[in-house]
Amino acid sequence: MMRLTRRALAGVLSILVAAGPALAQEGKTVTDAGGRQVRVPVDPARVFAAGPPAATLLYTLKPQAMIGWVRAPKPADLAWLRPEVADLPELGRLTGRGDTLNLEVLLAAGPDLIVDYGTVNATYVDLAGRVQEQAGVPYVLIDGSFAQMPRSIRQMSDLLGVPARGEALAAYAETTLADLDALLAEVPQAARPRVYLARGPEGVETAGRGSINAEIIERVGARNVVETEGDGLATVSPEQVQAWAPDVIVTIDRDFAAKVAQMPEWQGIPAVANGRVHLAPAVPFGFIDAPPSVNRLAGLIWLSHKLYPQAATGDLHAKIAEFYALFYGRRPDDAALAALLGD
Amino acid sequence: MTPLLTATGLAIGHGGKVLIRGIDLSLDRGSVLCLLGPNGAGKTTLFRTLLGLIPPVHGRIALGGEPLSRLSRLQVAARLAHVPQALATPFAFTALDIVLMGAAARLGPFARPGRVEAERAMAALDRLGIADLAGAEVTRLSGGQRQLVLIARALAQEAAAMVMDEPTASLDFANRRQVGHAIRRLADAGTGIILSSHDPDHAAAIADRALLLNRSGLLASGTVAETMTAGNLSRLYGIPVRREQGDDGRLRFY
Amino acid sequence: MAGAPTMPRWRPCWVTERRLNGWLALGLIATLAIGAAVGPYAIAPQQLVAVLSGDRSDPQAVTVLWNIRLPRVLAAAMVGAALAAAGAAYQTTFRNPLVSPDILGVSAGAGFGAVLGILLGWPVMAIQMLGFGTGLATVAMVLGLTMVLRGAGQVLVMVLCGIAIGALAGAGISLVKLLADPEQQLPAITFWLMGSLAGVKRPDIAAALPALLVGLAPLLALRWRIGLLAMGDDEARSMGIDATRLRLLVIACATLMTAAAVALAGVIGWIGLMVPHMARLLTGPRFDRLLPAAILIGAGFMVLVDTSARSIATVEVPLGILTAVLGAPLFVWLLARGTKAWSE
C-alpha cells in the first residue's frame, strides 16, 4: 500500500511538472477506490473511459466530455445513443499488458482525465499509476460492484463536475433498488425461481454465482442454478441443465432464444416447457452484463417483471422508457420499445 | 618411443555390458592399423571408447603414455583426432569452415580462429589436394570430397593420431582410391592412423597392421601379412575366403 | 604449401563479416530512427530532434517521446534481438534449422505465469516477474525430466519433454482463460498471448535488460565453440568441446533471454525461427558470424514490426499476428529458394 501511495504521489508530482501551472491552479485532489490520491481538474472537458463499463457510466453522466469509445457501438446501438457521441472513434482498451490502446493515440486525443469503473484489484491500481506516470494524465478508479452503484454514480459525477446529473441518476438507482427490495419482501423464498443464464448459440455457456456476468440474478432475488464461485464463464452440457431443471432461462443470445423450443436436448426443462425463456435486450447496452455497468438497472426492472409477473407492479414499458430517457438521453417510442422488449 | 595410443586388457560395451573383452592394441607413429570385422562386431564402440566418448568397462587406454581417464576433453582432442563416417550437420558449411573447426583443441574458450588458423586449415586442405574446394559448401561436394574435408579437419587438429570410422564405406571406387591414397600419405608423413573397413583388399592396400574383431571377440592382431590369412578371414566373416598375392606384392581376397 | 593463390579465398570473408555487421548496425539505427519518428501522435521532424536533444518546451511531446515511444522502440529492439539470438542458438545446438526458441516450452511456461498473474490481479511488474519465473521453471523442469529419463545429452528426449511440459503449460493457460472474467481479464489475456509492447515503460525495460545481457554475453563470447555443436555431440567432443555442458549453457542463456522477452512483450512467434534464416542467407551457417547478424536483424525487424503494430490502425494490432503475416510468406519463400543455406 505504501508503495502504491508513493507511486501515486510520484504520479501526481509528474503531472504537476508535466502539465504545468494551468492544472495546478484549478485542480482538486480526490482519493480513488484504489486508495490513490489523484489531482484532477475541477471540470474535466475531455475524459477517456478505460473500459466498457466506465464508458457506459461516462456516457450516462457527461456524454459531451467523451473523447472516444473502448469498443465502437454496433450499428444496432446507434439509434439508441445521442448522435453527437455515437460516432466517436474507437480508441481501444487499457489492460496493463496487451493493451489495444496505444498511449500515443490517447495523448493525441488530448484527455484531461482517465476514469475506470469496475473491479478494483492490484493490477488495475498499478495500471492506473503506470499510465498516469507515463502519460501524465490523471487516472481515477471507481468501484464497479453492484452494491455500490448509487455511491459510485455520485463519485463519478463529482469527479466529472456534474453533481446534479449524478444526483438524479443515483436517486433513480436508489429508488429502483428500494422498489426491488420492497417487491422481494412480498415474495417468499419458495416462490423465487431458479434461473439458468444461457450464453452462446447453443446456450451451454453460463456463469456461476460469483461471476460479474451473473451477479444480477442474485441481486434480483432469484437463485442461479450454477453454484460455482468464480469470475469466469463455464461451459456445461445440456444434460447438466436438465439435472438442474431451472424454472427460468435468461439468455443474451438471440439465436438460442429462437431455437431452444425446437432443440431436443432442451425439452423437458421446466423453463422451456413453460415458455419461460427470456431474451435479454442488448441495445445500446446489455440488460444482464456487457458491460457490467449502470445499464444493469434496466435489467433489474426487466427481470423483476419476468421473474415475478404476479408480484411486479407498474408498466414495464413505461419504466424502461423512463430509464432510457433519463440515462441514455433518448426516449424510445412505443414501436421501438416493443421491438426492444420483444413483446 | 612411446606409442601414440595403447589399450591394454580392454573390455568395451555399453552400460557395463561387455561387448568385446581382451583387446590389446598399440598404435605407433606413421603406421596404419586397420580394424576388420563384420557388422555389429563393435568397431564403432571400440572407437568411441578410444576417443573417450564412452568409458571402457575394463582395462586401460593411454594417449602418448598418459591415461585417457586423466586427460581433459581438450587434451584428448590435441592427441587424437576423429574422422566420422559422414558429415552429420544439416547446415551448408564451407569446406574451410569445417576444417577450421579442427582448431578448437588449440584455441582458448573465447577465441575464434584467425589468420593463423585459416592458414593452417588451408595447408591441411592443400595437403589432401582439395585446396580449391575451400570455399565450396560441403553439401554440394561428392562423398569422397567430404571425406577428405573431414580428414583435413582432423589434420588441422594437429593430433599425432587419428581415428577413422569406415572412411571409405559409402564411397565409389574412384573416391575410395583417392581417400585411401590420402590416408597412406598421411601415415607416411608420420601420423598414426587407426581405421575400420569392410573391405579386406582396401585394408591390405593401406594398412600396416590389422586387428580382426568378430562378435565373440578379438580374433587376431599383428601385421597385415600375418593376420589377414585366408583362414582368419574365413573365420571372421563366416564364409570361405581365398588370398592371393599379386605381382605388385598386394594382397587380394576373394 | 598453402600458397599465395589460396590466400585471397578466405581473407575477404573476414572483411565482409565486419562490413556486413557495420551495414546491419546502420540499418538498425535507421529502423530505430523510423521507430522514434513514426507514431499516431504527430511530432514534426524538427521538433523530434529538438525534444531528443533535451528541449522540454512542449511537455506533451516530451511525454510522448521519452515516456511512451522511445521505451517502446527500445523494448522492441531488445525483444527482437533476444528472440533472434535464442532462435539462432537453438537451431545450431539442436542441429535443426526448424526449431524456434520456445522448443523447450519457455513461451508456454512464461505465458502461463503471466496470465496467472493477470487472473490473480497482480501489479503489472509482478505479472512480468511471474511470467519470467515460470518460463525459467518450465525449462528447468524439462531439463530435470530429461536427466531423470536418459541423461542430459539426449536432444530428442529433451525436445519431447519440452513438448510434454509445454502442453501442460498450455493446458494451464486454457484453464486460466476459463476462470478469467470475460469482461476485462479475458481480453487482456488473449491480447497478451498474441504479443504486444503497448504499455511498456522504462522500469519494465530496466527489469528485462539484465536477463537479456546475462543471456547474451556467454553466447557472444563462446559463439565459435557453440557453432561446433552443429556437427553433432560425438564430433564436437572429439574436437575438444564438452558438448553436454556447452549445450546446457546455451539452453540456459537462450531460455533466460526468451523468458525475459516473453515477460516483456507476450508471446511473439516467428521471429526466433525466421530471423536466423534471414541472417544465415547473409552470413552462411557459421554461428560465430550468424549470431551478431541475427541480433542486429532481429532488433531492427522487431522495431519495424512494432512500429507497424502501432501505426496501421488506431487500435493496436497484436505483434504475433503481424509477425505471422510477415513471417509465413517469408518462410515459404526461403523454403522455395532452394533452402540454400541449410539443405542436406
Side-chain angles (χ1 to χ4, degrees):
Chain A
M1 212 58 223
M2 247 339 268
R3 197 173 56 82
L4 291 173
T5 315
R6 219 174 322 139
R7 179 172 283 203
L9 285 176
V12 172
L13 282 177
S14 72
I15 298 162
L16 293 182
V17 173
L23 199 66
Q25 278 167 6
E26 41 170 341
K28 60 182 178 186
T29 303
V30 297
T31 306
D32 79 351
R36 301 163 58 252
Q37 303 269 318
V38 186
R39 185 112 186 125
V40 297
V42 171
D43 184 21
R46 299 186 64 76
V47 182
F48 179 69
T56 302
L57 184 56
L58 175 61
Y59 171 79
T60 61
L61 285 171
K62 198 176 183 181
Q64 68 274 22
M66 288 183 81
I67 56 171
W69 295 96
V70 175
R71 276 192 306 237
K74 293 180 286 296
D77 301 334
L78 295 178
W80 304 87
L81 295 169
R82 298 169 192 270
E84 66 273 20
V85 288
D87 51 359
L88 283 172
E90 172 171 323
L91 295 182
R93 162 202 297 267
L94 284 171
T95 58
R97 263 303 158 27
D99 303 339
T100 55
L101 171 63
N102 184 331
L103 281 182
E104 286 188 39
V105 172
L106 181 62
L107 283 186
D112 51 14
L113 177 67
I114 303 171
V115 289
D116 200 4
Y117 173 61
T119 315
V120 177
N121 63 24
T123 302
Y124 294 111
V125 173
D126 183 46
L127 169 67
R130 288 167 63 96
V131 172
Q132 179 169 307
E133 198 180 313
Q134 199 174 3
V137 180
Y139 193 134
V140 177
L141 295 171
I142 290 172
D143 184 1
S145 64
F146 216 122
Q148 297 287 334
M149 195 185 283
R151 195 169 146 240
S152 300
I153 293 174
R154 288 197 179 93
Q155 272 181 355
M156 179 74 107
S157 60
D158 287 348
L159 185 65
L160 296 173
V162 286
R165 169 79 180 150
E167 191 48 46
L169 300 194
Y172 180 94
E174 274 167 349
T175 311
T176 305
L177 293 172
D179 287 353
L180 177 65
D181 288 337
L183 170 72
L184 289 179
E186 304 292 311
V187 182
Q189 283 294 332
R192 299 195 184 176
R194 300 172 66 253
V195 176
Y196 172 77
L197 175 66
R199 299 171 60 115
E202 298 299 317
V204 291
E205 254 183 60
T206 190
R209 286 183 185 168
S211 162
I212 198 166
N213 306 95
E215 204 178 13
I216 191 168
I217 293 174
E218 305 297 313
R219 185 63 191 85
V220 80
R223 281 172 296 157
N224 189 342
V225 294
V226 186
E227 292 183 4
T228 55
E229 303 290 328
D231 294 337
L233 295 177
T235 302
V236 297
S237 73
E239 187 184 332
Q240 178 65 64
V241 184
Q242 290 275 2
W244 280 323
D247 304 313
V248 174
I249 293 176
V250 175
T251 182
I252 60 168
D253 193 281
R254 187 166 292 279
D255 283 349
F256 174 74
K259 281 189 317 191
V260 63
Q262 283 81 49
M263 289 160 86
E265 63 274 28
W266 291 82
Q267 300 314 307
I269 294 172
V272 180
N274 302 329
R276 297 191 70 183
V277 178
H278 303 299
L279 172 66
V283 284
F285 305 108
F287 271 31
I288 304 298
D289 57 2
S293 190
V294 287
N295 44 307
R296 290 182 296 175
L297 283 172
L300 271 188
I301 298 165
W302 176 75
L303 272 180
S304 67
H305 278 258
K306 295 294 174 189
L307 298 182
Y308 315 111
Q310 278 81 41
T313 55
D315 177 18
L316 174 63
H317 284 226
K319 286 183 188 172
I320 296 296
E322 191 196 335
F323 176 87
Y324 270 61
L326 180 60
F327 279 76
Y328 302 152
R330 305 285 304 263
R331 181 179 287 277
D333 58 27
D334 289 346
L337 265 180
L340 178 73
L341 297 172
D343 47 30
Chain B
M1 197 169 68
T2 321
L4 299 172
L5 169 68
T6 57
T8 7
L10 191 65
I12 59 169
H14 292 282
K17 252 174 68 182
V18 176
L19 199 61
I20 312 174
R21 59 179 83 243
I23 302 170
D24 292 288
L25 64 83
S26 166
L27 181 69
D28 289 318
R29 261 175 208 291
S31 82
V32 177
L33 168 65
C34 183
L35 240 65
L36 281 167
N39 287 330
K43 294 180 302 249
T44 300
T45 307
L46 175 58
F47 283 163
R48 298 189 71 216
T49 312
L50 293 177
L51 285 160
L53 299 175
I54 51 173
V57 185
H58 296 295
R60 288 195 310 277
I61 300 167
L63 289 178
E66 289 208 48
L68 179 67
S69 53
R70 262 190 251 149
L71 296 173
S72 73
R73 192 67 69 207
L74 278 173
Q75 287 170 315
V76 174
R79 287 156 201 244
L80 182 63
H82 176 216
V83 178
Q85 268 188 41
L87 264 174
T89 178
F91 298 107
F93 289 101
T94 65
L96 181 63
D97 289 341
I98 299 271
V99 177
L100 276 173
M101 291 179 185
R106 312 264 168 198
L107 283 174
F110 304 128
R112 300 170 62 197
R115 180 180 295 262
V116 176
E117 286 74 24
E119 274 166 7
R120 278 194 197 140
M122 285 308 302
L125 284 167
D126 197 44
R127 261 180 87 179
L128 292 162
I130 49 168
D132 55 327
L133 298 180
E137 286 167 7
V138 284
T139 45
R140 289 167 190 264
L141 298 183
S142 73
Q145 288 169 327
R146 274 190 237 179
Q147 208 60 41
L148 289 172
V149 169
L150 288 174
I151 295 174
R153 185 181 72 191
L155 203 55
Q157 200 165 322
E158 300 187 317
M162 280 182 204
V163 164
M164 300 185 183
D165 194 358
E166 297 184 5
T168 57
S170 54
L171 303 186
D172 63 25
F173 181 71
N175 277 316
R176 186 175 298 203
R177 177 170 287 185
Q178 188 187 12
V179 172
H181 283 315
I183 293 170
R184 190 61 246 177
R185 278 204 309 276
L186 283 182
D188 292 343
T191 308
I193 295 167
I194 174 165
L195 59 84
S196 58
S197 176
H198 278 306
D199 180 356
D201 284 340
H202 184 66
I206 60 173
D208 311 300
R209 302 177 67 81
L211 195 79
L212 274 47
L213 277 181
N214 69 8
R215 288 199 184 87
S216 53
L218 186 65
L219 197 70
S221 91
T223 64
V224 166
E226 63 194 43
T227 48
M228 294 181 69
T229 60
N232 276 344
L233 290 180
S234 301
R235 270 197 285 157
L236 186 65
Y237 294 109
I239 49 162
V241 174
R242 263 187 316 130
R243 178 168 107 163
E244 275 176 19
Q245 188 150 25
D247 303 335
D248 54 355
R250 283 182 62 176
L251 296 173
R252 287 194 177 78
F253 302 88
Y254 304 98
Chain C
M1 294 211 306
T6 53
M7 297 279 283
R9 190 176 283 285
W10 57 265
R11 191 159 46 184
C13 295
W14 306 109
V15 179
T16 329
E17 186 184 349
R18 207 166 296 163
R19 191 175 295 168
L20 174 70
N21 287 340
W23 281 113
L24 290 177
L26 273 180
L28 174 59
I29 292 168
T31 57
L32 289 174
I34 293 171
V38 175
Y41 189 97
I43 301 178
Q46 309 92 298
Q47 197 186 7
L48 189 79
V49 174
V51 173
L52 284 178
S53 46
D55 177 14
R56 305 192 77 83
S57 57
D58 179 352
Q60 196 79 327
V62 172
T63 299
V64 166
L65 210 55
W66 286 106
N67 286 356
I68 299 173
R69 204 181 284 172
L70 289 181
R72 198 167 164 171
V73 169
L74 195 60
M78 280 167 53
V79 167
L83 292 176
Y90 273 126
Q91 287 177 6
T92 298
T93 49
F94 283 44
R95 291 198 295 144
N96 186 336
L98 296 177
V99 303
S100 57
D102 43 11
I103 181 87
L104 296 182
V106 57
S107 294
F112 172 64
V115 300
L116 191 65
I118 294 174
L119 179 73
L120 296 175
W122 284 12
V124 177
M125 188 64 95
I127 294 172
Q128 187 171 330
M129 288 299 160
L130 185 64
F132 180 64
T134 51
L136 297 188
T138 305
V139 175
M141 272 167 70
V142 169
L143 296 181
L145 196 59
T146 314
M147 245 170 259
V148 170
L149 287 177
R150 268 290 220 25
Q154 301 284 336
V155 170
L156 183 64
V157 179
M158 201 182 278
V159 170
L160 292 177
C161 288
I163 291 172
I165 304 272
L168 277 183
I173 290 176
S174 300
L175 183 66
V176 169
K177 278 180 160 178
L178 202 65
L179 294 174
D181 133 41
E183 278 299 323
Q184 292 185 297
Q185 290 175 332
L186 194 58
I189 288 172
T190 310
F191 204 85
W192 190 89
L193 285 173
M194 290 189 286
S196 167
L197 284 163
V200 163
K201 50 186 286 185
R202 274 178 281 173
D204 304 329
I205 296 178
L209 195 60
L212 185 73
L213 295 179
V214 167
L216 201 53
L219 289 186
L220 276 172
L222 291 166
R223 64 188 192 275
W224 187 70
R225 280 184 178 258
I226 291 168
L228 268 59
L229 291 176
M231 306 307 290
D233 283 12
D234 274 6
E235 275 191 63
R237 287 196 186 105
S238 69
M239 290 186 278
I241 308 284
D242 189 337
T244 305
R245 212 184 290 171
L246 186 60
R247 180 177 296 109
L248 282 179
L249 179 73
V250 171
I251 289 172
C253 291
T255 301
L256 203 60
M257 288 191 298
T258 312
V262 175
L264 191 61
V267 183
I268 301 172
W270 287 98
I271 295 287
L273 176 64
M274 194 171 55
V275 171
H277 279 278
M278 291 159 63
R280 214 174 274 122
L281 287 178
L282 298 173
T283 64
R286 268 180 61 169
F287 186 66
D288 54 332
R289 293 181 187 152
L290 173 64
L291 183 65
I295 290 170
L296 293 170
I297 295 176
F301 190 74
M302 199 68 230
V303 170
L304 287 183
V305 169
D306 183 58
T307 304
S308 321
R310 57 194 167 85
S311 313
I312 291 176
T314 318
V315 177
E316 293 265 337
V317 183
L319 294 175
I321 292 177
L322 281 183
T323 54
V325 165
L326 292 172
L330 197 63
F331 193 68
V332 171
W333 178 73
L334 286 171
L335 286 172
R337 218 177 146 279
T339 59
K340 182 172 173 281
W342 50 272
S343 77
E344 208 156 13

